[in-house]
Amino acid sequence: MGKETDEDEIWNYKSSTKGRAQANKQSNVSGSSTHMNMRRKSRKQDEAQKNIINLQADAEQLKTVQPADSIQKNEVAEVIDVDLEIENDLVALKVSGNRKTLNKEMNRCNNSVQSKNSDNFSSGSIIYKTNLKSKVSKSKKLSNNKTITTKLSPSKSSRKVSLSCKKPLECSNIDKYFSPTKDKGKTKRKSSESVDNIFDFTDDELMFVQENVSSISETGEKVSEKPLKIISSQNHYSTNLLDCSVKSDNSTEKPTVQENMLSCFKNIDRVDRDNAISPKKDVDVNSCGHDNEIIEEMPDNLAVSVKDDQNLAMRNYDSSLDNCLESVSYQVCCDTSAGGFLADEDAFGLHSSIEDDICRDNNELHMSSSSSDCTGFTHCILSSDHDSILVTADSLPSIKTSSLLDNNSGGLLTTANNKHDDNGKSSCVQNNIPTSPNKHSLLTAANKQTSIFSFFKAKFGSGSKVSQSLSNKFNINSNSSCTSTSSHEVPKVTARPNLYRGQTTSATAASSSYAALKSQKQWLQKSSSTVDNQTDVETEKLQQGNARVKKQCPFYKKIPNTSITVDAFSYGVIPGCEVYVLTHFHCDHYGGLTKRFAQPIFCSQATGNLVEQRLGVNNKWINRLPMWKPCQVAGVTLTLMEANHCPGAVMILFELKDGRKHLHTGDFRACPDMEEYPMLKEVTTSDLYLDTTYCNPSYTFPTQSEVINCAVSLALAYVAENPHALIVCGTYTIGKEKIFTAIARALNSKICVTRDKKKVLDCLDDKELQSKVTLDWSKGQVHVLPMGKLTQKALFEHHACHPQFKTVLAIEPTGWTYSGKTSLENISPKWSKNGVTLYGLPYSEHSSYLELKRFIQFLRPKKIIPTVNNGKPEIRKTMEDTFAQWMRESRDSRKPSSVSAQQRNMHT
DNA sequence: GCGATCAGCT
DNA sequence: CACAGCTGATCGC
């Protein structure tokens, strides 16, 4: 893994789902609720041990297993054997019991009772279907009163199923183990319980831990009941580390997994991977004992939690810089390295006020404070799950803290010059931060203060003692106006609707309304410094309405040196943003846009209609821009161009006053026609925000027209052979219209759609579609269904509902269908069964690899910013190299309009 | 109870 | 696994 460049840091916002998931998990590790969870968990584990069958499995693996709900309690039925046949997605239970009962249950499951024991009793197998996809490494049969464990082989998803049976089980209990509704531990969503054991390791640490754990295991001491999930921050993989064990040192309380793991951290000699200050580290959990010593010098990128038995509180130590990018709140915890921030005595006035007001529900607020124990310092930890603050009494008389407003250490990141200062080992906080390779760690003081303030305010109300105390301390008045240090002061930005009102003249009054705002506005000078731009006022405003802290808007959604963002609706009110551009109406682009949204939205006519109709956004915020006509919006000239994606999808050219021109493709499918767009022709583009969905040589699928022709041919041929045939075509909410329109045209048929799809299509200005679409399924031979309804089951059901059609030809148009081997000439169905045939067609509404290449070589932008697949540095690097190569090629062989032989062959 | 968000699945 | 969207669980109000 190479050293990250500055560029990488810009990307290192962790926007991907994975990154978020990991950060969320991480956050729970450092959350104070962990402490409670552990206690709850150990109780649960005890209960679980009493169970006769202990089935550990990921919830999703078993969610489709149906419980034996038809077996009444007290009806005699025992499980005598358990058989895992997970290859076939089956879990089999061999049972014996009341014949009637079993017959009932087995009939329900379409299985039969085989053997007969007596008149009243019988036994047999009941097969419960699961949706398990993983292979089982070995499957052992259980016999009565014996225990076995069956594990799935380690797969990429680290699934594990262990099933043990000690005693006969009453069938009436089965549902406890299989029903997702009755067993909260097996709900789909991972509860905090399941993430307690997640740590963040580099590969080197992982090796170290594994070695240590195995060596501890060999001593035969306490074995942890839960698998330990280890996530490498570098590679984002996870694995299960089973049989983690540690010393139990005769204490009545079992050591927590966290404690176990900490013991593995002793003397970790870590690799200094980012040139961060991380020399040899000594981490000794034993030194973090009853006298509340703060661990010296935590390694960077290491997240641990230590349970402090004496104070019954968790301490969280997290210096993982890579994982602190997720949110403002999280960084407070991460950056300090010594566990949150240290406030000076009674900094929040908490000693007297919180004592009885704490330890609410598990996910609420846990504070542990005791005036008598506290000899002067309050140790606060703001957990990264944004929803809990831990305050422990900290009796470290020699700790000195710097001011909470110390900007040198990032505002709240105060120094923790503890008593080890003398030997020079401490001052880790102050030293680490300025030299940190991660500029994001340098949050503004204002930012953090507001986060914490908002938290207390949300929890206790603005008039509460805690909030008042905090607001006094931070100099934040209760009206939420920003009064922090002037260097961070950002004037309030008033959101205004309809900066542009849709006139088709190029210069509009919008520019003057913008001019009035401009003087008040501050926007990013550098796209990378997005974090710093979050102001007190806006952060708080953001958090007031919603205790969930919004994700940060990644830089590539912001047009630099403007107040414009593109497809950035899931970040709340973005500080400094006055114009929210929406390129098209797909959920991954409008995500977060709800009817409560009250900021100016700019989009195409069709998209605007959809936003109003389908999302209920107030029309006053929707600015429908004309296509092809330059419009002045927020001091920038915007030109909307057809993106060849879905109806209403646009590419946008931003022409800044400084002369720079940025092109945002939105989602698009590049085509040679675009080379004729006047605003792209002979224009030097500075930044190209590019839809890189298929920026990989393996995606060289045919052109849309070829696929449409293929679909039409298929349909015509099929109907010729089967006169009473139904053609079903998959569709997105909006998208794939061309293909089913073409088929309907060829068959001279109406297009039958769902009510929802009709509403969507009504938003488009498409005369042909309007004339063909109908809600009456019997009126046409072409039925349009959501893509998700192209499963066998759903198609059979749909067919059954429309028996007038003898057979069904279903077409699933998606780019992902393309396998590299398929050619349209000899295309074959994915499956054909019971008169229903499904074809997958490589119909894409994103550019293929070669189309991207041609587009780039035509446009020759100065800079390319991928907007898709940009989460992983490796992939970014590959794309970067690809772009560079394309640019070199086109430079070497210019004439710019020349088309290489390879490109000419791109569609063959 | 409702809307927003998220995880999981396709 | 990418996309786009559905479903169901959870969270916050």
Side-chain angles (χ1 to χ4, degrees):
Chain A
M1 198 64 56
K3 181 179 176 296
E4 288 192 350
T5 62
D6 284 353
E7 189 75 10
D8 289 323
E9 290 171 27
I10 295 172
W11 288 101
N12 207 1
Y13 57 92
K14 295 264 166 80
S15 72
S16 68
T17 312
K18 263 193 171 173
R20 271 202 308 280
Q22 187 183 340
N24 290 339
K25 287 169 181 173
Q26 187 75 38
S27 73
N28 279 337
V29 171
S30 26
S32 60
S33 59
T34 318
H35 166 224
M36 286 298 192
N37 283 343
M38 284 192 305
R39 299 183 151 257
R40 188 173 297 179
K41 187 177 66 187
S42 66
R43 267 204 307 276
K44 270 194 177 173
Q45 281 173 348
D46 291 342
E47 284 165 16
Q49 281 182 344
K50 291 176 197 159
N51 291 330
I52 301 155
I53 283 188
N54 175 24
L55 184 85
Q56 292 180 323
D58 284 348
E60 61 271 20
Q61 292 173 327
L62 293 171
K63 68 163 187 163
T64 59
V65 174
Q66 296 303 310
D69 56 4
S70 59
I71 296 181
Q72 301 300 310
K73 278 184 183 168
N74 305 322
E75 284 186 313
V76 183
E78 323 178 309
V79 173
I80 57 170
D81 202 349
V82 178
D83 194 6
L84 280 179
E85 291 183 31
I86 298 177
E87 287 98 333
N88 300 322
D89 285 1
L90 299 174
V91 171
L93 300 186
K94 276 193 184 171
V95 296
S96 68
N98 178 296
R99 170 184 287 279
K100 193 177 152 196
T101 304
L102 288 180
N103 272 332
K104 202 162 78 178
E105 175 66 2
M106 291 180 184
N107 285 337
R108 196 179 71 85
C109 298
N110 295 323
N111 289 286
S112 57
V113 180
Q114 293 303 324
S115 61
K116 176 177 152 188
N117 292 342
S118 73
D119 283 336
N120 289 329
F121 282 79
S122 59
S123 67
S125 286
I126 302 178
I127 312 292
Y128 293 89
K129 192 158 170 48
T130 79
N131 64 347
L132 274 173
K133 292 279 160 55
S134 308
K135 296 280 179 190
V136 162
S137 58
K138 55 179 181 178
S139 174
K140 285 185 187 175
K141 286 190 179 178
L142 290 183
S143 57
N144 208 359
N145 293 321
K146 291 200 176 172
T147 300
I148 66 131
T149 301
T150 302
K151 290 175 188 167
L152 290 179
S153 58
S155 67
K156 56 186 172 185
S157 55
S158 300
R159 285 175 169 171
K160 170 179 169 284
V161 170
S162 72
L163 186 59
S164 59
C165 180
K166 287 176 183 168
K167 283 198 240 166
L169 173 75
E170 286 185 5
C171 272
S172 55
N173 282 341
I174 290 174
D175 56 0
K176 192 188 292 180
Y177 303 97
F178 288 99
S179 165
T181 54
K182 293 197 176 181
D183 184 348
K184 285 185 178 174
K186 293 191 177 81
T187 53
K188 266 170 84 179
R189 196 159 175 171
K190 285 194 175 66
S191 65
S192 55
E193 180 191 3
S194 64
V195 299
D196 279 344
N197 297 338
I198 293 176
F199 292 83
D200 190 44
F201 294 98
T202 64
D203 291 346
D204 301 301
E205 286 163 351
L206 184 60
M207 288 294 293
F208 177 86
V209 170
Q210 282 172 333
E211 282 165 18
N212 274 271
V213 167
S214 58
S215 72
I216 296 170
S217 294
E218 283 162 18
T219 67
E221 288 164 317
K222 178 78 185 74
V223 174
S224 162
E225 271 113 34
K226 283 199 82 173
L228 197 64
K229 189 169 260 182
I230 294 185
I231 296 173
S232 160
S233 59
Q234 282 181 322
N235 291 333
H236 301 291
Y237 65 80
S238 64
T239 181
N240 279 331
L241 191 63
L242 302 175
D243 302 328
C244 167
S245 64
V246 286
K247 295 175 182 175
S248 58
D249 67 0
N250 296 329
S251 97
T252 49
E253 186 148 3
K254 292 173 190 170
T256 66
V257 180
Q258 280 86 347
E259 284 164 337
N260 293 351
M261 292 314 300
L262 272 171
S263 67
C264 300
F265 281 115
K266 276 189 178 180
N267 303 315
I268 291 178
D269 198 356
R270 294 191 62 257
V271 174
D272 175 11
R273 72 179 165 101
D274 283 328
N275 286 343
I277 298 182
S278 54
K280 211 166 191 170
K281 307 293 181 186
D282 277 330
V283 182
D284 188 348
V285 67
N286 298 320
S287 73
C288 186
H290 60 279
D291 58 0
N292 286 328
E293 283 177 5
I294 287 185
I295 292 178
E296 309 167 21
E297 291 202 23
M298 292 301 291
D300 289 346
N301 301 304
L302 174 62
V304 293
S305 294
V306 182
K307 189 173 165 221
D308 180 340
D309 283 326
Q310 235 199 8
N311 286 339
L312 292 177
M314 289 292 294
R315 281 178 159 191
N316 297 270
Y317 301 93
D318 190 337
S319 56
S320 168
L321 293 172
D322 275 353
N323 288 297
C324 69
L325 304 176
E326 202 55 24
S327 72
V328 170
S329 310
Y330 192 30
Q331 288 176 6
V332 175
C333 180
C334 296
D335 288 346
T336 60
S337 303
F341 56 89
L342 297 170
D344 58 1
E345 183 173 8
D346 209 6
F348 308 131
L350 292 174
H351 291 178
S352 52
S353 60
I354 64 171
E355 212 170 338
D356 299 318
D357 203 0
I358 54 176
C359 275
R360 299 179 180 181
D361 192 357
N362 196 32
N363 290 323
E364 290 280 337
L365 183 62
H366 301 283
M367 291 186 180
S368 173
S369 173
S370 162
S371 305
S372 56
D373 288 350
C374 182
T375 57
F377 292 90
T378 303
H379 187 178
C380 291
I381 294 169
L382 182 57
S383 118
S384 54
D385 61 6
H386 322 304
D387 211 17
S388 55
I389 286 184
L390 181 69
V391 181
T392 64
D394 220 328
S395 49
L396 288 173
S398 59
I399 284 184
K400 290 171 282 188
T401 66
S402 62
S403 161
L404 279 168
L405 297 173
D406 180 359
N407 287 324
N408 288 331
S409 57
L412 282 178
L413 308 181
T414 62
T415 53
N417 297 322
N418 64 25
K419 59 187 167 188
H420 302 287
D421 225 348
D422 295 338
N423 57 28
K425 276 187 176 176
S426 177
S427 56
C428 51
V429 177
Q430 205 162 31
N431 284 346
N432 272 350
I433 288 170
T435 51
S436 155
N438 191 329
K439 64 183 80 164
H440 294 267
S441 64
L442 296 174
L443 267 180
T444 64
N447 233 347
K448 294 169 183 173
Q449 288 160 19
T450 311
S451 300
I452 294 164
F453 173 68
S454 301
F455 178 88
F456 276 95
K457 199 169 160 188
K459 288 292 172 193
F460 297 104
S462 57
S464 73
K465 213 170 172 180
V466 177
S467 293
Q468 289 294 334
S469 172
L470 275 170
S471 62
N472 293 339
K473 186 73 194 175
F474 295 144
N475 206 15
I476 298 170
N477 72 34
S478 53
N479 292 327
S480 313
S481 66
C482 171
T483 56
S484 67
T485 51
S486 60
S487 60
H488 298 294
E489 200 162 327
V490 177
K492 194 173 176 183
V493 177
T494 310
R496 302 154 61 91
N498 292 308
L499 292 182
Y500 172 87
R501 296 194 178 276
Q503 291 93 332
T504 51
T505 50
S506 60
T508 72
S511 59
S512 63
S513 73
Y514 168 71
L517 287 170
K518 193 187 167 193
S519 61
Q520 301 179 349
K521 195 178 60 189
Q522 185 172 348
W523 185 247
L524 296 177
Q525 292 305 305
K526 283 185 70 181
S527 55
S528 59
S529 55
T530 57
V531 176
D532 298 333
N533 217 46
Q534 206 135 356
T535 66
D536 276 6
V537 174
E538 284 148 341
T539 305
E540 188 176 331
K541 190 162 66 182
L542 212 156
Q543 293 179 358
Q544 264 178 342
N546 187 356
R548 283 186 201 194
V549 175
K550 293 275 184 185
K551 292 169 288 184
Q552 268 171 29
C553 177
F555 81 92
Y556 64 83
K557 287 178 180 277
K558 298 176 174 183
I559 306 300
N561 297 316
T562 72
S563 58
I564 299 173
T565 60
V566 179
D567 297 340
F569 296 94
S570 42
Y571 314 99
V573 176
I574 299 170
C577 178
E578 294 174 77
V579 169
Y580 293 77
V581 171
L582 177 58
T583 58
H584 65 288
F585 194 76
H586 275 163
C587 66
D588 51 334
H589 291 258
Y590 67 69
L593 188 48
T594 66
K595 58 169 165 270
R596 292 186 196 173
F597 192 84
Q599 301 286 317
I601 302 164
F602 287 77
C603 54
S604 66
Q605 177 77 38
T607 305
N609 294 344
L610 288 162
V611 167
E612 186 181 4
Q613 282 264 333
R614 307 301 295 157
L615 302 178
V617 174
N618 190 323
N619 195 39
K620 77 174 179 179
W621 299 109
I622 303 171
N623 299 268
R624 295 169 176 84
L625 297 182
M627 300 292 288
W628 309 113
K629 289 184 178 164
C631 303
Q632 281 285 317
V633 174
V636 179
T637 306
L638 264 65
T639 311
L640 268 51
M641 290 166 278
E642 172 58 46
N644 191 28
H645 183 61
C646 65
V650 292
M651 297 197 288
I652 301 156
L653 182 69
F654 298 90
E655 296 175 72
L656 276 60
K657 283 198 173 144
D658 62 10
R660 281 193 292 173
K661 295 178 181 183
H662 304 312
L663 178 67
H664 199 300
T665 65
D667 276 359
F668 85 130
R669 180 151 188 183
C671 61
D673 290 353
M674 290 176 180
E675 292 163 21
E676 304 305 321
Y677 287 4
M679 49 289 294
L680 298 185
K681 242 177 168 177
E682 294 157 25
V683 158
T684 307
T685 311
S686 296
D687 295 359
L688 173 65
Y689 296 82
L690 184 67
D691 167 18
T692 44
T693 303
Y694 292 119
C695 188
N696 181 307
S698 61
Y699 296 119
T700 49
F701 35 72
T703 61
Q704 274 187 351
S705 58
E706 283 171 316
V707 180
I708 289 171
N709 289 338
C710 174
V712 169
S713 309
L714 274 178
L716 287 173
Y718 192 82
V719 172
E721 255 184 56
N722 311 277
H724 299 286
L726 169 67
I727 310 295
V728 169
C729 190
T731 181
Y732 291 142
T733 295
I734 182 95
K736 320 288 180 188
E737 279 72 16
K738 283 183 205 168
I739 196 161
F740 63 73
T741 310
I743 293 170
R745 199 184 297 137
L747 295 175
N748 195 23
S749 163
K750 287 271 184 187
I751 301 168
C752 310
V753 298
T754 59
R755 198 166 293 276
D756 272 355
K757 183 68 180 176
K758 174 86 165 54
K759 284 180 187 164
V760 167
L761 295 177
D762 285 345
C763 291
L764 313 179
D765 188 23
D766 188 322
K767 295 270 167 10
E768 186 188 3
L769 263 181
Q770 295 296 344
S771 66
K772 283 192 184 304
V773 164
T774 173
L775 290 173
D776 187 341
W777 294 105
S778 66
K779 286 271 168 61
Q781 200 174 9
V782 177
H783 288 191
V784 171
L785 295 178
M787 213 73 98
K789 299 278 183 197
L790 296 191
T791 60
Q792 259 187 24
K793 185 166 170 277
L795 283 171
F796 290 157
E797 278 169 14
H798 187 78
H799 189 199
C801 291
H802 305 285
Q804 71 270 31
F805 300 106
K806 297 286 175 280
T807 55
V808 178
L809 172 70
I811 292 173
E812 184 186 20
T814 166
W816 307 120
T817 294
Y818 188 74
S819 71
K821 290 178 186 169
T822 32
S823 94
L824 291 178
E825 283 73 39
N826 52 14
I827 193 154
S828 57
K830 280 171 94 171
W831 52 264
S832 185
K833 205 172 172 184
N834 301 344
V836 180
T837 303
L838 176 74
Y839 278 88
L841 290 188
Y843 179 87
S844 167
E845 293 185 329
H846 296 273
S847 315
S848 72
Y849 180 74
L850 290 176
E851 285 162 344
L852 279 178
K853 178 177 181 180
R854 176 165 173 164
F855 186 76
I856 298 297
Q857 294 188 335
F858 154 71
L859 200 70
R860 295 189 57 78
K862 287 183 181 162
K863 188 176 174 188
I864 300 174
I865 298 142
T867 58
V868 184
N869 293 330
N870 55 19
K872 287 185 183 167
E874 325 71 276
I875 297 179
R876 283 202 304 276
K877 181 74 171 61
T878 308
M879 289 196 286
E880 211 172 281
D881 294 344
T882 303
F883 298 149
Q885 174 66 25
W886 289 346
M887 295 296 275
R888 272 196 302 275
E889 273 179 31
S890 81
R891 185 193 57 213
D892 295 344
S893 66
R894 260 193 305 184
K895 308 204 173 171
S897 60
S898 77
V899 179
S900 71
Q902 189 186 7
Q903 287 166 53
R904 254 183 262 117
N905 292 333
M906 63 190 275
H907 301 319
T908 63

